[in-house]
Amino acid sequence: MNPEDGDDRPEAVCEAEAGSASAPGEPLEWRFAQVFGERAAGEDVQEVDIISAIEFGRSGGHLATGDRGGRVVLFERTDAQDNASRRELERQDAPITRHPEFRYKTEFQSHEPEFDYLKSLEIEEKINKIRWCQTSNNSLSLLSTNDKTIKYWKVQEKKVKHIAVMNLDNSRSVGNGTTSSASTSSSRALLPNGGCSDKSSCLNSDILFPPGGFPSLRLPVVMTSQDVNPVARCRRVYAHAHDYHINSISNNSDGETFISADDLRINLWNLEINSQSFNIVDVKPANMEDLTEVITCAEFHPIHCNTLAYSSSKGSIRLIDLRQSALCDNHSKIFEEHEAPGSRSFFTEIIASISDVKFSRDGRYILSRDYMTLKLWDLNMDSGPVSTFQVHEHLRPKLCDLYENDSIFDKFECCLSGDGLHVATGSYGNLFRVFGCTPGSTEVTTLEASRNPMRCQIVNPTRPTRTLTSLARGVRRGGENQGVDANGNSFDFSTKLLHLAWHPTSNSIACAAANSLYMYYA
């Protein structure tokens, strides 16, 4: 069993999934798998139902989503094959071609709306981030946070007993064929154990032994069935440690600590202690007028427990080592790309702000997302990104309009495949893009979060695919969909795909379009 999210599938199953992935360099062919919460045509979406966080467990056996209403919904994987059928396929030398399938498991209310009376500030219940924790004893553990408060939840299977009360009728037939009543007065209430609430009446022999009959009997309750239901319990609450909105949380590989970050500080917590935290990064200047950048995201290294990275609104990523000092004011490495001379404009710093960072599974690379691009960084090379993927270059002429309607401040997330060969991120019009990031790869695929994701798949003229025949059938024609041009770029800013996650062991992506959770596989 995986210690993190209770996945009891055999390790060979995960290995079979990894082996069934496309060969390096071959474009992935994406297919629709599942959808949860799909809304009907014309159906209005409630604000509280919009998904605001998605996270797979480390083994991929579970998936968690959070929404703006403060709820956390858990899904569990159901497609694991039994060992016998898997061994039979191995004997026949047949490939095991499966994709992850999930079903609804449970949901619970993680956060409620609050009001800070000292600051006269309303605190939304919206879930900003979810992170799975290591656990044991067949239970699931995870962290969830809103703007101010982090909570540690444990979800465990509990047996629910259903019982039936088996009582004898008040009227009883006796041996001579006559019927007698067990009580002589309606005012005398019988207790569940067969006694009487009126002691003086109970002393009456007519009550204890009615004439011509037997005493009234009360049989004990009988258990009819047992159901196993998941029950969520909040084990700890980590509060009052951030003056500004929490933008990220991240678990350490040691399984004992985690970090939480807001605009100016990063705090280190122990999972077992909620009464105190340690401030490890503080970028708040003595004079707030001197503030030039803020923290936008923070992430622990997946292997080295002493290393973490955090990004800033100026487009830089700093790598820090917790062994250097208690307060990590100095970074060990900084990753940033310097702008070309003469290219600076009013929007330069806004679009350079990094909204999300992710480590690759082996910890060698960092993927970052700013408003216009995806960048892949090698930890061993801080001179610049090893790859840059254009996502919103077609929006550069519309930056003024995006600034006026605040869309330029949208925070898109990014993700990497478990094998590190592909990266993905969202865009407008409920579109998301998948890029191949192997050396020399020119693969790029645009898909739509719908039951027919391929209708927006294109051959991007700026990054032509290696094999045109494999993607030519998905070439998109201009004017077929309102707000989407011939290159698959959307100008519909009212719909956006901000949140998505890549399954850790297979080529499967979960993404959120408003209140709907779509899943695709390749």
Side-chain angles (χ1 to χ4, degrees):
M1 185 188 70
N2 183 278
E4 180 189 3
D5 58 7
D7 189 2
D8 55 359
R9 298 179 301 129
E11 293 182 1
V13 175
C14 297
E15 294 173 358
E17 291 173 0
S20 64
S22 300
E26 294 184 2
L28 299 177
E29 297 183 8
W30 292 94
R31 300 176 180 87
F32 170 79
Q34 290 176 278
V35 59
F36 297 94
E38 186 178 28
R39 65 181 185 274
E43 180 184 355
D44 293 332
V45 178
Q46 300 295 324
E47 181 76 12
V48 295
D49 295 331
I50 296 177
I51 297 174
S52 58
I54 302 177
E55 183 75 6
F56 278 107
R58 180 170 297 180
S59 70
H62 292 87
L63 172 67
T65 65
D67 61 28
R68 296 187 181 181
R71 294 173 299 234
V72 172
V73 183
L74 302 184
F75 302 88
E76 64 181 352
R77 189 168 179 176
T78 61
D79 61 296
Q81 296 180 346
D82 59 3
N83 295 337
S85 61
R86 182 168 53 83
R87 286 194 297 267
E88 181 66 24
L89 289 174
E90 291 174 351
R91 281 196 296 269
Q92 298 175 1
D93 198 22
I96 303 177
T97 56
R98 296 184 293 111
H99 65 275
E101 294 180 359
F102 289 81
R103 68 181 176 190
Y104 170 87
K105 182 178 180 67
T106 188
E107 68 180 84
F108 55 90
Q109 188 71 32
S110 175
H111 288 74
E112 300 280 357
E114 301 176 23
F115 188 82
D116 189 337
Y117 292 95
L118 295 178
K119 298 181 179 179
S120 297
L121 179 68
E122 291 184 0
I123 303 174
E124 292 182 334
E125 66 270 33
K126 185 187 83 167
I127 304 298
N128 291 340
K129 296 289 181 181
I130 296 174
R131 291 292 182 266
W132 291 93
C133 302
Q134 295 181 2
T135 188
S136 58
N137 299 327
N138 293 325
S139 63
L140 305 175
S141 296
L142 54 86
L143 291 170
S144 62
T145 183
N146 64 355
D147 288 339
K148 294 291 184 181
T149 305
I150 307 165
K151 294 186 178 182
Y152 179 47
W153 292 90
K154 185 175 183 180
V155 182
Q156 199 166 17
E157 304 285 352
K158 296 290 184 181
K159 291 183 179 179
V160 179
K161 299 178 181 179
H162 296 273
I163 60 175
V165 180
M166 304 296 290
N167 296 327
L168 293 181
D169 201 351
N170 283 342
S171 298
R172 180 173 297 275
S173 177
V174 294
N176 57 6
T178 62
T179 302
S180 62
S181 175
S183 62
T184 58
S185 174
S186 61
S187 63
R188 291 192 288 261
L190 293 178
L191 297 177
N193 62 0
C196 182
S197 60
D198 188 349
K199 292 184 179 180
S200 61
S201 300
C202 289
L203 294 177
N204 192 324
S205 60
D206 290 342
I207 297 300
L208 296 177
F209 296 95
F214 298 98
S216 177
L217 300 177
R218 305 281 291 183
L219 294 182
V221 295
V222 176
M223 185 174 64
T224 59
S225 63
Q226 289 190 25
D227 291 337
V228 179
N229 295 328
V231 176
R233 293 181 179 178
C234 183
R235 303 303 300 269
R236 291 174 191 85
V237 177
Y238 313 89
H240 312 300
H242 288 277
D243 293 330
Y244 304 92
H245 290 177
I246 299 173
N247 54 48
S248 55
I249 54 176
S250 179
N251 289 316
N252 199 343
S253 59
D254 62 9
E256 298 179 356
T257 57
F258 71 94
I259 55 172
S260 58
D262 63 22
D263 291 342
L264 299 180
R265 293 185 176 93
I266 299 178
N267 293 333
L268 178 67
W269 300 83
N270 188 299
L271 282 169
E272 301 295 327
I273 303 172
N274 62 351
S275 58
Q276 65 177 348
S277 63
F278 299 95
N279 179 226
I280 56 176
V281 175
D282 189 348
V283 300
K284 183 178 181 180
N287 185 357
M288 287 296 288
E289 294 182 357
D290 298 331
L291 183 66
T292 59
E293 63 179 335
V294 296
I295 299 170
T296 57
C297 187
E299 189 85 4
F300 257 123
H301 192 280
I303 299 174
H304 304 303
C305 61
N306 58 286
T307 303
L308 64 92
Y310 71 91
S311 59
S312 78
S313 57
K314 280 193 171 183
S316 63
I317 302 173
R318 290 174 172 85
L319 202 67
I320 62 175
D321 191 338
L322 298 179
R323 297 171 299 183
Q324 291 181 348
S325 63
L327 185 61
C328 302
D329 293 329
N330 298 320
H331 52 266
S332 57
K333 283 187 178 181
I334 183 169
F335 304 90
E336 58 185 352
E337 188 174 27
H338 299 285
E339 61 191 44
S343 62
R344 187 172 182 82
S345 68
F346 174 78
F347 303 107
T348 299
E349 190 168 315
I350 299 176
I351 62 177
S353 177
I354 295 177
S355 58
D356 192 24
V357 293
K358 292 287 195 308
F359 277 97
S360 61
R361 188 159 186 167
D362 60 4
R364 171 70 183 272
Y365 298 95
I366 295 179
L367 181 68
S368 66
R369 170 67 201 266
D370 56 46
Y371 189 75
M372 305 296 287
T373 65
L374 269 177
K375 291 185 175 72
L376 188 67
W377 307 80
D378 189 334
L379 293 189
N380 298 329
M381 188 180 75
D382 55 4
S383 58
V386 295
S387 297
T388 299
F389 309 97
Q390 300 296 334
V391 181
H392 282 164
E393 187 62 31
H394 63 284
L395 297 180
R396 193 173 293 275
K398 296 181 176 292
L399 292 181
C400 289
D401 298 334
L402 293 166
Y403 180 78
E404 291 178 357
N405 61 23
D406 288 340
S407 294
I408 200 172
F409 301 105
D410 288 334
K411 300 182 183 301
F412 293 92
E413 295 181 357
C414 59
C415 58
L416 297 92
S417 61
D419 55 16
L421 301 180
H422 295 84
V423 296
T425 189
S427 182
Y428 293 105
N430 286 338
L431 302 179
F432 65 99
R433 288 189 167 96
V434 180
F435 300 90
C437 57
T438 54
S441 173
T442 56
E443 176 187 356
V444 55
T445 308
T446 300
L447 304 104
E448 181 184 22
S450 66
R451 287 183 175 269
N452 183 18
M454 307 300 287
R455 66 179 181 176
C456 285
Q457 187 181 9
I458 59 145
V459 178
N460 194 324
T462 61
R463 287 176 59 87
T465 54
R466 184 187 304 273
T467 307
L468 291 177
T469 55
S470 65
L471 291 179
R473 62 180 179 275
V475 173
R476 181 135 183 93
R477 304 298 180 186
E480 293 181 17
N481 188 20
Q482 184 178 4
V484 179
D485 64 11
N487 293 328
N489 300 318
S490 175
F491 297 94
D492 179 12
F493 305 129
S494 62
T495 57
K496 61 195 74 173
L497 198 152
L498 301 177
H499 312 285
L500 76 171
W502 202 300
H503 192 277
T505 61
S506 64
N507 286 324
S508 177
I509 292 179
C511 57
N515 66 323
S516 302
L517 177 67
Y518 288 91
M519 303 191 70
Y520 305 94
Y521 71 97

